[in-house]
């Protein structure tokens, strides 16, 4: 039929702002480089771009709660545990979030439709900024412990 509409990927455009989103690879890069804090932030940016502002707020708070949990666990668990033990659960949580919120499906539909996507380099930069922020907080906490409370580290 020459008057048939062309085949295209179907997008749920209700609430979609049309802004570019990060690919799932970008979300994993941010999480790998900058912990669950960066992964949650990138997920939130995607939810905002998709018009899902409530889920964006939940993703940000979940990322913050996740990094607090990782820090507390790293202080409670023995030092002999390798760092990958902390990384794998963070990646699993991000994967679970992608599946539960159907963000992965929305990203795949946008890629299939040829819509513009955000760069993985931006996601890596967000991961790097998250690491720098976490290091700054750690240095601040140590400085307050040493100079404010006179704690001596052996």
């Amino acid at each position: 039929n020459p008057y048939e509409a062309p085949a295209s990927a179907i997008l749920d455009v209700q609430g979609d702002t049309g802004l570019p989103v990060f690919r799932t690879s970008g979300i994993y890069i941010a999480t790998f480089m900058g912990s669950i804090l960066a992964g949650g932030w990138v997920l939130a940016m995607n939810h905002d771009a998709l018009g899902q502002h409530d889920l964006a707020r939940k993703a940000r708070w979940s990322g913050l709660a996740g990094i607090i949990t990782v820090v507390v666990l790293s202080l409670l668990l023995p030092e002999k545990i390798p760092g990958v033990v902390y990384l794998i659960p963070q990646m699993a949580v991000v994967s679970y979030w992608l599946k539960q919120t159907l963000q992965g499906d929305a990203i795949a539909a946008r890629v299939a439709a040829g819509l513009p996507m955000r760069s993985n380099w931006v996601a890596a930069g967000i991961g790097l900024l998250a690491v720098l922020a976490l290091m700054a907080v750690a240095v601040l906490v140590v400085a307050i412990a040493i100079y404010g409370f006179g704690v001596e580290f052996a």
Side-chain angles (χ1 to χ4, degrees):
N1 182 1
Y3 300 106
E4 186 176 359
S8 65
I10 298 173
L11 293 176
D12 179 19
V13 294
Q14 183 179 8
D16 192 340
T17 62
L19 296 172
V21 297
F22 290 98
R23 293 177 182 86
T24 53
S25 58
I27 297 168
Y28 290 129
I29 288 169
T31 306
F32 180 77
M33 291 184 69
S35 78
I36 193 77
L37 180 65
W41 197 265
V42 171
L43 284 167
M45 291 173 73
N46 273 2
H47 282 302
D48 277 334
L50 295 170
Q52 303 165 339
H53 304 293
D54 288 339
L55 284 173
R57 189 176 351 62
K58 287 179 184 177
R60 284 187 185 97
W61 283 109
S62 296
L64 185 61
I67 193 61
I68 291 170
T69 302
V70 168
V71 169
V72 168
L73 284 176
S74 69
L75 294 173
L76 295 177
L77 295 175
E79 291 180 22
K80 294 179 182 178
I81 295 179
V84 74
V85 171
Y86 301 107
L87 177 64
I88 292 171
Q90 293 179 61
M91 300 299 267
V93 165
V94 167
S95 294
Y96 180 75
W97 185 280
L98 284 169
K99 297 289 185 215
Q100 284 299 108
T101 62
L102 302 176
Q103 191 178 111
D105 294 339
I107 293 169
R110 287 172 146 260
V111 169
L115 295 175
M117 304 297 287
R118 299 208 60 175
S119 170
N120 285 350
W121 288 105
V122 175
I126 291 170
L128 183 62
L129 288 175
V131 167
L132 291 175
L134 291 171
M135 288 174 53
V137 168
V139 167
L140 182 66
V141 167
V142 170
I144 290 172
I146 291 173
Y147 298 112
F149 297 106
V151 175
E152 293 183 20
F153 295 101

